[in-house]
Amino acid sequence: MVELLVSFFLVAGGAFALIGSIGLARLPDLFMRLHGPTKATTLGVGGILVASMLHFSAIEAGVSLHEVLVAVFLMITAPVSAHLVARTMIHLGGGDKGIPDAPPGAKSRTGMKNGNEPELEKT
Amino acid sequence: MKCWLPQPLFSLCLWMVWLLLGNTLAPGQMLLGAVLALALPLFSVRFWPDRPRLRRPLQLLRYFAVLLWDIVVANLVVARLILGPTRKLRPAFIRLPLDLCHEFAIVVLANTISLTPGTVSADLSLDRRTLLIHALDVEDEAQAIARIKDRYERPLKEIFEC
């Protein structure tokens, strides 16, 4: 029974990690590609961690909980790295398309340009 | 009370992290963890000149429960978007006007936005009043902003004193 659950979570986790990677390869531009690793991969690793908790709680005495820490640190670091990548892209001027005008008086930290195109370029 | 326990919640978190790292509930580890959890905030207190004050710690738990659920939903939604035809996607940048005043609350909100369906926080304006968000598939911009404000920002505003 436990093995069934463990394998279910392993397969589900692996599938989400795969989908995240497919998104990284398939989506047309950098900003859209960021969505893959920040989300699909979170659940991918999450599923594998749940499987690990179940497995080690079942075969060893006591409950295995230190996987929770991995999940917590992942939830803190994944968005921060995505934010850094996005800001770097905007800062380099490669992402000025489709960024709405700054409200009057608000200064941008990264010197964003105001884009005229309503949509991101699709390649 | 105030001088030897400056950040009770921080101490509690440290203690739990220590026990989780050791993956144990042995009395010795619990004692050692408690000593560290009491000592570390005393040294680190001066790194936090402007500490966020939690007004409702219990509501934070509720917030995390909602967030956890939304992460699962977000994954399913994004997985569907990724596997579907990419031409139909309507990516857009959105400016979210912020009502939060504390940096820590803004960080929590930005992280939340990155973890929830189809949105990644991309930039914070210099005056900390607007957050630039990139969304994977936007149908209605005003609705997306209202959703974030209602679901995440309002609880955070209640949790942190602002």
Side-chain angles (χ1 to χ4, degrees):
Chain A
M1 186 58 206
V2 176
E3 276 173 19
L4 254 175
L5 270 174
V6 168
S7 40
F8 168 77
F9 279 112
L10 274 181
V11 171
F16 275 108
L18 178 67
I19 291 170
S21 314
I22 291 174
L24 201 60
R26 230 188 131 207
L27 292 173
D29 76 23
L30 183 135
F31 292 103
M32 294 170 81
R33 282 180 179 159
L34 278 177
H35 291 272
T38 45
K39 295 185 197 71
T41 319
T42 315
L43 200 60
V45 178
I48 293 166
L49 290 174
V50 171
S52 160
M53 280 165 82
L54 285 173
H55 180 69
F56 287 105
S57 300
I59 64 163
E60 286 168 9
V63 190
S64 172
L65 278 180
H66 53 343
E67 285 87 349
V68 173
L69 278 183
V70 180
V72 169
F73 290 137
L74 192 75
M75 274 170 67
I76 295 171
T77 52
V80 172
S81 48
H83 188 95
L84 277 178
V85 173
R87 253 180 72 176
T88 309
M89 186 67 178
I90 293 169
H91 191 66
L92 289 174
D96 55 339
K97 298 183 188 76
I99 296 175
D101 293 356
K107 275 184 283 181
S108 162
R109 176 182 284 188
T110 50
M112 287 182 288
K113 296 169 199 160
N114 292 330
N116 300 319
E117 294 89 339
E119 242 185 327
L120 284 170
E121 196 175 39
K122 283 170 188 165
T123 48
Chain B
M1 181 71 190
K2 202 77 183 164
C3 48
W4 62 268
L5 194 59
Q7 289 155 294
L9 262 178
F10 183 45
S11 292
L12 186 68
C13 288
L14 279 175
W15 189 58
M16 282 170 68
V17 166
W18 179 263
L19 291 179
L20 283 172
L21 276 174
N23 210 7
T24 174
L25 277 175
Q29 290 293 335
M30 286 174 85
L31 193 67
L32 187 56
V35 170
L36 285 173
L38 288 177
L40 284 176
L42 290 180
F43 288 107
S44 71
V45 71
R46 64 185 70 171
F47 299 151
W48 296 75
D50 181 24
R51 284 202 303 273
R53 267 171 301 176
L54 277 176
R55 197 161 49 168
R56 297 179 186 174
L58 282 179
Q59 212 160 10
L60 196 64
L61 286 179
R62 198 176 146 266
Y63 181 80
F64 280 130
V66 170
L67 181 60
L68 218 56
W69 172 249
D70 283 355
I71 288 173
V72 175
V73 175
N75 277 278
L76 295 171
V77 170
V78 172
R80 196 170 50 80
L81 290 178
I82 287 172
L83 294 177
T86 49
R87 274 170 193 289
K88 280 192 188 163
L89 295 179
R90 291 154 293 183
F93 281 98
I94 302 174
R95 273 189 195 283
L96 178 78
L98 288 171
D99 291 329
L100 299 169
C101 55
H102 200 281
E103 280 177 16
F104 189 76
I106 295 175
V107 170
V108 176
L109 181 69
N111 266 20
T112 305
I113 286 168
S114 289
L115 286 170
T116 47
T119 46
V120 169
S121 63
D123 196 17
L124 182 64
S125 68
L126 200 58
D127 57 1
R128 290 177 188 160
R129 291 261 136 195
T130 47
L131 191 64
L132 185 70
I133 298 169
H134 183 262
L136 192 54
D137 189 37
V138 188
E139 205 166 318
D140 182 4
E141 200 174 301
Q143 197 191 344
I145 291 176
R147 188 176 172 281
I148 292 170
K149 277 204 160 301
D150 190 53
R151 200 167 170 86
Y152 307 119
E153 194 179 9
R154 205 163 39 81
L156 279 178
K157 212 171 151 60
E158 280 173 25
I159 292 164
F160 296 100
E161 279 176 355
C162 269

